[in-house]
């Protein structure tokens, strides 16, 4: 009985490794060539699997793209962001500056992976499938940032007259893939320079000077 269970776990482990290898291969090609120019056959070759295996696992290129987005957000961590240590640390500290430092550091790590992907997927905006996937992930991002605004506003007041939704819009822009890809990817800023700028910009644009 134990041998059967061990054999099943071994097969599941190998399947998970193969799945991760296919997702990583897709990420590399999507960010090198762009989504439209990358075929499922290209990804299969890059991952070292049969193209039938790729289709059996993900069914469509769009479904694979969604999995690539999810892995880019989570990285090597176990579970979604709200289950990770940095999230608990951000919630626990009563100090706005420290909460922002934790949040910006975590977001910078995510954007280092997601910003190049998002940049290339936008070039496929004429294709309804990647556009749908990107729009879905933007909705999820807005939901997360709306929660972040609530958490941060509990530590210090927002600027007078600034609605919570507008504060969310500003955070989405400042801590978004476009700002990171432009400043770091195109203009040559270091990740540390982007983090410092982002914290200062958030404090200046969103929170009251009398906090």
């Amino acid at each position: 009985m134990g041998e059967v269970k061990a054999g099943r776990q071994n097969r599941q482990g190998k399947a998970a490794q193969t799945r991760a290898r296919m997702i990583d291969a897709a990420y590399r090609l999507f960010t090198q060539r762009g989504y439209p120019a990358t075929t499922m056959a290209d990804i299969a070759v890059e991952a070292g699997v049969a193209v039938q295996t790729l289709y059996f696992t993900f069914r469509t290129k769009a479904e694979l793209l969604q999995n690539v987005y999810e892995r880019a957000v989570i990285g090597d961590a176990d579970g979604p962001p709200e289950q990770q240590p940095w999230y608990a640390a951000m919630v626990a500290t009563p100090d706005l500056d420290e909460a922002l430092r934790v949040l910006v550091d975590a977001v910078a790590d995510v954007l280092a992976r997601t910003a190049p992907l998002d940049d290339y997927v936008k070039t496929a905006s004429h294709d309804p499938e990647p556009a749908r996937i990107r729009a879905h992930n933007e909705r999820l991002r807005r939901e997360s940032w709306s929660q972040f605004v609530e958490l941060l506003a509990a530590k210090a007041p927002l600027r007078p007259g600034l609605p919570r939704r507008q504060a969310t819009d500003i955070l989405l822009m400042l801590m978004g893939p476009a700002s990171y890809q432009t400043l770091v990817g195109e203009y040559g800023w270091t990740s540390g320079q982007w983090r410092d700028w982002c914290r200062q910009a958030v404090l200046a644009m969103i929170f009251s000077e009398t906090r």
Side-chain angles (χ1 to χ4, degrees):
M1 192 71 175
E3 292 180 358
V4 173
K5 183 178 180 181
R8 185 185 306 117
Q9 291 176 338
N10 186 49
R11 289 192 297 273
Q12 291 173 343
K14 288 182 177 179
Q17 291 175 358
T18 301
R19 180 184 179 88
R21 193 166 73 247
M22 290 187 288
I23 293 173
D24 290 344
Y27 175 88
R28 286 193 298 274
L29 293 183
F30 287 159
T31 55
Q32 290 169 7
R33 305 178 184 178
Y35 181 87
T38 302
T39 68
M40 291 290 270
D42 294 333
I43 297 167
V45 171
E46 179 76 9
V49 300
V51 71
Q52 293 88 345
T53 301
L54 192 63
Y55 275 110
F56 178 80
T57 305
F58 299 105
R59 296 185 299 177
T60 67
K61 187 175 158 186
E63 184 177 332
L64 175 56
L65 175 62
Q66 177 58 38
N67 279 268
V68 170
Y69 261 109
E70 292 172 2
R71 181 161 171 78
V73 170
I74 296 173
D76 295 326
D78 294 326
E82 59 269 21
Q83 296 178 11
Q84 296 173 23
W86 69 263
Y87 191 95
M90 179 190 68
V91 173
T93 180
D95 183 71
L96 175 64
D97 289 340
E98 175 62 13
L100 272 177
R101 184 193 66 76
V102 172
L103 176 59
V104 171
D105 283 352
V107 169
D109 290 340
V110 172
L111 290 178
R113 300 186 296 267
T114 59
L117 176 66
D118 190 76
D119 200 42
Y120 277 98
V121 170
K122 283 190 296 187
T123 64
S125 58
H126 62 282
D127 188 329
E129 283 303 297
R132 177 181 62 80
I133 296 296
R134 184 172 183 273
H136 169 71
N137 285 280
E138 280 298 297
R139 285 193 296 272
L140 294 179
R141 200 165 71 88
R142 174 170 287 280
E143 291 174 7
S144 294
W145 285 112
S146 179
Q147 294 173 5
F148 290 148
V149 167
E150 294 296 325
L151 290 169
L152 295 173
K155 305 176 192 299
L158 301 181
R159 294 185 70 85
L162 180 65
R164 296 281 173 98
R165 180 173 177 85
Q166 189 173 346
T168 302
D169 294 340
I170 294 170
L171 275 184
L172 282 166
M173 183 272 294
L174 291 176
M175 297 194 200
S179 86
Y180 189 92
Q181 186 66 5
T182 299
L183 295 177
V184 178
E186 296 180 25
Y187 295 168
W189 286 29
T190 65
S191 177
Q193 288 172 325
W194 182 88
R195 295 173 199 223
D196 290 341
W197 166 82
C198 195
R199 285 193 297 269
Q200 294 167 10
V202 170
L203 287 171
M205 297 182 67
I206 294 181
F207 293 96
S208 172
E209 295 179 356
T210 60
R211 65 183 184 281

